[in-house]
Amino acid sequence: MPVASQLLRGLPRAKVLASSLLPCQQHQSQFGPAAHRPASRHPSHAWQRHQPSRSYRKTSAIHSYILTPPQVNSILKANEYSFKVPEFDGKNVSSVMGFESNQLPANAPIEDRRSAATCLQTRGMLLGVFDGHAGCACAQALSERLFYYIAVSLLPHDTLCELEAAVEAGRALSPILQWHKHPNDYFSREAQMLYFNSLRTYWQELIDLTSPGEVPETREALLNAFKRLDNDISLEAQVGDPNAFLHYWVLRVAFSGATACVAHIDGPDLFIANAGDARAVLGVQEEDGSFSAHTLSNDHNAQNEEEVARIRGEHPTSERKTVIRQDRLLGLLMPFRAFGDVKFKWSIELQKRVLESGPDQLHENEHTKFIPPNYHTPPYLTAEPEITYHKLRPQDRFLVIGSDGLWETLHRQEVVRIVGEYLTGVHQRQPLTVGGYRVTLGQMQGLLEERKARVSSAFEDQNSATHLMRHAVGNNEFGTVDHERLSKMLSLPEELARMYRDDITIIVTQFNPHMIGAQMQEGQS
C-alpha cells in the first residue's frame, strides 16, 4: 500500500444517495454536463450568502406535498450519524462520551460539510462544520484536509522526524487520524496524492522550524494549520496540475469558498477555532436543572463591530465606504473570514494569469468572470481563525457546532434548551406564551395537548442532532414542532428550498461530567 494511502486511510468510499448528501457536481464526471452547471442559481449575486426568510408563513402559498410522518423521518434521518467513545474496563476514560451529527440540504448539491476524527497521537478529538459558498468544492476539500493539518501541527518534533523517516524509507506508517464518517460523506480519491504531497511539505517545514523535544502549543497549532491549508489551496491553484481533472479541481476549490468552525477537545481542554459565521455554543446545566447557552465563537460578519473595525483598519481610509457595503465584504460576501475565495485575496494580475492558463471549463464558471468592485488593496479576506479556550467543568454538558443555517432559524438559548431537554428527558415547563397572536380557547386547548404529546414523544428521534433539526425546520410561532409546517418545508422543490432556509449541519458533542470532575480534582491536588 503506498505511504500516502496508509497515512490517509480510513476514508470510506462514498455511497452516493440521490436523496441525501451528494458529492460536488464536478466529481460526477470529469468534464460532462454536470461540470458545466453553475454553482449558484443567482448569477447577479454569485458571491452573496443568500439570507433565507426567517418566517415560514409564506409556505401556505407554495405548491408542496403533505408528507407522512415516516416520510418526514426518512428525510430527516438520511444523513444522521452517531459515535460513542469506547469504554475500557467498563469505564469511559475520555471527557467526551460521544457525538451525534446530521445534515439537511437546501442547496443541490449541499454546500455544507462535516468532519469528526480522533487524533491517534494525542487522543484529542476534532469536530468541524464547514459551510461552503459559490459551490461545495472548498468545503469538500476542508472536510478532507484540515484535520490532517491540525494533527500534524500538534505532533512533537521527534514524531515528525519519525514520520518523515518512514516515508523516506518507504516503511509502513501509523495512521494519524481515526475518522468517524457517515457512509455518504464524500471524499476524492483522485486528489489523495496531491493532498499528501502538500501535507508532507508542511511537516518537513515544521521539522526545520522546531527543535528536538519541542511540543507544540494547541492554540498555535490550530492557527498555523488554518493559515497553512488556505495558503496551500491558493498555491495549488496557481501551480496547476498536469492531470486535467485535478487542474480543474484545484481551481474550483480556490475560486469557491468555505467557513470553518472546529473544536479540539483533549481532556478538560476545549479549543474552538472559527473562521466565518458557523457557531459553537456550550450547553451548561444550572443548579435548578435548566440549561443556559455559553457561546464560544464570534460570527465574522457585519454584525460583529470588531470585525468591521479590523477590516476597515487593514485598508486605506479612501476605501472606508466601499470595503463593506450593504453588510457584505466589497458588497458581495457575507462572511468576513473564509478559506478559498481567491477572488478576494489575489491581485487582479494573478487572477487573470491563472484564469488564462486554466482549462476552458473554468471560463464557463460564473464566479470567475468578474473582479469585485472597488478592488484596490487585496487581500480583503483571511482564513486566520479566532481561537477560544474553555476549561471544561462538570456542568458543561454538551457542545453544539452548527452552520449558520441552524442559527438563522433558532436562537442559541432555544437550541441549548431543546438539546438539553432531549438529552436529560426532562422538559422545563415554561409558561405557555402566544406572543401577540389572538388565540381562541380551542387553539389554547390544542397547544396544551400538543405540549403534553411532546413529552411522550421526546425520544422519537434517536439522534440529538436530528431532534434539533426537526425543531429548526418545523417550529411554529409557539415553539413546538408543527408536522404540517415541517412537511411543507421538507417537500419544497430544489429551486424554492434555498429561498426559505440554508443548508443545515449540526454536531452535538456530549461530555462526561464524572471524568471532567475527576480531572479537576487531580489538577487541584
Side-chain angles (χ1 to χ4, degrees):
M1 180 185 294
V3 290
S5 299
Q6 296 167 12
L7 184 66
L8 303 178
R9 72 189 178 193
L11 302 172
R13 182 171 292 278
K15 299 176 183 177
V16 180
L17 302 179
S19 62
S20 56
L21 183 63
L22 293 172
C24 290
Q25 53 235 19
Q26 55 268 34
H27 282 294
Q28 295 170 359
S29 64
Q30 285 198 356
F31 297 106
H36 295 275
R37 192 185 310 146
S40 170
R41 298 182 188 274
H42 308 283
S44 60
H45 304 283
W47 290 96
Q48 296 183 14
R49 297 290 303 279
H50 181 71
Q51 280 280 60
S53 168
R54 299 193 185 204
S55 168
Y56 296 129
R57 290 181 220 167
K58 297 177 183 176
T59 55
S60 59
I62 299 298
H63 295 291
S64 55
Y65 301 94
I66 300 299
L67 305 174
T68 65
Q71 289 173 324
V72 166
N73 288 340
S74 178
I75 294 171
L76 288 176
K77 296 172 185 289
N79 295 307
E80 68 178 13
Y81 179 83
S82 62
F83 173 78
K84 184 179 180 182
V85 174
E87 296 182 348
F88 299 94
D89 297 326
K91 294 182 178 179
N92 185 330
V93 296
S94 171
S95 58
V96 175
M97 296 179 68
F99 71 88
E100 295 170 325
S101 69
N102 205 345
Q103 293 190 286
L104 184 66
N107 293 291
I110 186 172
E111 294 182 344
D112 281 4
R113 293 293 186 272
R114 59 181 166 181
S115 290
T118 300
C119 296
L120 295 175
Q121 301 288 337
T122 66
R123 305 308 304 174
M125 182 170 279
L126 287 164
L127 306 114
V129 167
F130 313 103
D131 187 350
H133 47 263
C136 56
C138 189
Q140 178 61 43
L142 296 187
S143 71
E144 299 181 47
R145 306 181 69 181
L146 183 56
F147 285 6
Y148 279 117
Y149 279 69
I150 293 173
V152 164
S153 300
L154 288 167
L155 292 179
H157 175 89
D158 299 342
T159 306
L160 289 170
C161 292
E162 293 171 7
L163 193 64
E164 175 61 21
V167 176
E168 193 68 33
R171 297 197 305 268
L173 295 176
S174 298
I176 292 177
L177 295 173
Q178 176 192 352
W179 288 92
H180 312 301
K181 283 186 171 287
H182 188 284
N184 298 340
D185 288 348
Y186 184 81
F187 85 104
S188 169
R189 290 190 179 276
E190 298 92 339
Q192 184 171 277
M193 185 55 68
L194 170 70
Y195 291 169
F196 174 79
N197 289 336
S198 293
L199 184 68
R200 184 184 180 189
T201 301
Y202 177 44
W203 82 53
Q204 288 172 337
E205 293 182 17
L206 287 175
I207 290 172
D208 294 338
L209 293 171
T210 56
S211 305
E214 188 174 340
V215 178
E217 194 264 331
T218 304
R219 183 184 297 270
E220 196 69 20
L222 290 166
L223 183 70
N224 291 339
F226 270 61
K227 292 168 69 175
R228 177 56 182 243
L229 177 54
D230 191 52
N231 183 73
D232 282 355
I233 287 172
S234 175
L235 188 61
E236 289 160 2
Q238 293 174 50
V239 173
D241 194 280
N243 179 294
F245 170 76
L246 283 180
H247 191 181
Y248 182 55
W249 171 241
V250 297
L251 289 168
R252 287 297 302 269
V253 170
F255 277 92
S256 61
T259 66
C261 187
V262 171
H264 178 267
I265 309 164
D266 191 359
D269 299 320
L270 168 60
F271 284 89
I272 300 294
N274 182 54
D277 52 10
R279 192 180 299 173
V281 174
L282 194 66
V284 182
Q285 189 164 28
E286 305 296 343
E287 291 184 3
D288 64 358
S290 65
F291 287 88
S292 61
H294 178 46
T295 305
L296 294 177
S297 63
N298 295 309
D299 296 350
H300 299 131
N301 55 29
Q303 280 64 57
N304 184 333
E305 293 181 2
E306 291 184 6
E307 275 295 284
V308 171
R310 177 186 67 81
I311 290 175
R312 285 180 173 157
E314 292 175 353
H315 300 276
T317 54
S318 59
E319 295 185 59
R320 182 173 181 82
K321 293 183 178 180
T322 59
V323 68
I324 297 173
R325 294 179 59 249
Q326 298 178 324
D327 288 345
R328 300 172 188 267
L329 188 66
L330 297 177
L332 296 171
L333 190 64
M334 285 189 70
F336 289 173
R337 302 192 193 194
F339 285 83
D341 282 322
V342 294
K343 297 291 288 185
F344 297 87
K345 296 173 180 175
W346 289 355
S347 67
I348 294 175
E349 293 74 21
L350 178 57
Q351 291 186 40
K352 289 180 177 178
R353 179 174 62 79
V354 170
L355 288 173
E356 286 172 0
S357 62
D360 292 340
Q361 285 77 9
L362 195 67
H363 299 287
E364 299 176 26
N365 184 322
E366 63 188 78
H367 306 303
T368 66
K369 291 180 179 178
F370 70 98
I371 300 295
N374 302 298
Y375 197 79
H376 306 299
T377 55
Y380 290 89
L381 189 66
T382 179
E384 180 174 329
E386 185 175 10
I387 298 173
T388 308
Y389 172 76
H390 178 81
K391 188 156 191 172
L392 290 171
R393 309 159 298 173
Q395 62 265 40
D396 299 329
R397 301 307 297 269
F398 58 87
L399 175 73
V400 179
I401 308 175
S403 58
D404 65 340
L406 170 65
W407 311 108
E408 286 168 351
T409 57
L410 290 175
H411 187 272
R412 61 179 183 170
Q413 184 57 46
E414 186 72 356
V415 165
V416 165
R417 181 191 66 78
I418 292 167
V419 174
E421 291 182 357
Y422 173 86
L423 293 176
T424 61
V426 177
H427 291 263
Q428 302 296 321
R429 293 302 186 91
Q430 311 269 344
L432 189 62
T433 59
V434 294
Y437 297 93
R438 292 185 176 182
V439 181
T440 66
L441 287 175
Q443 289 172 323
M444 181 69 75
Q445 177 68 20
L447 288 169
L448 291 170
E449 290 177 355
E450 186 176 344
R451 168 185 272 192
K452 183 178 179 181
R454 182 158 53 106
V455 175
S456 63
S457 63
F459 297 99
E460 176 183 359
D461 295 310
Q462 303 302 309
N463 182 300
S464 55
T466 304
H467 185 71
L468 181 55
M469 193 170 288
R470 186 183 300 273
H471 278 266
V473 179
N475 261 18
N476 59 20
E477 295 88 344
F478 309 107
T480 59
V481 176
D482 182 312
H483 173 73
E484 183 176 350
R485 186 180 301 263
L486 182 61
S487 173
K488 286 180 178 179
M489 291 301 295
L490 293 179
S491 62
L492 287 173
E494 286 180 7
E495 61 272 15
L496 288 177
R498 188 61 185 87
M499 298 171 62
Y500 287 82
R501 62 175 178 82
D502 199 352
D503 298 325
I504 299 176
T505 297
I506 301 168
I507 301 177
V508 179
T509 306
Q510 193 171 359
F511 299 121
N512 185 342
H514 304 294
M515 180 54 61
I516 293 170
Q519 291 168 339
M520 286 181 64
Q521 291 180 349
E522 288 177 10
Q524 293 169 355
S525 60

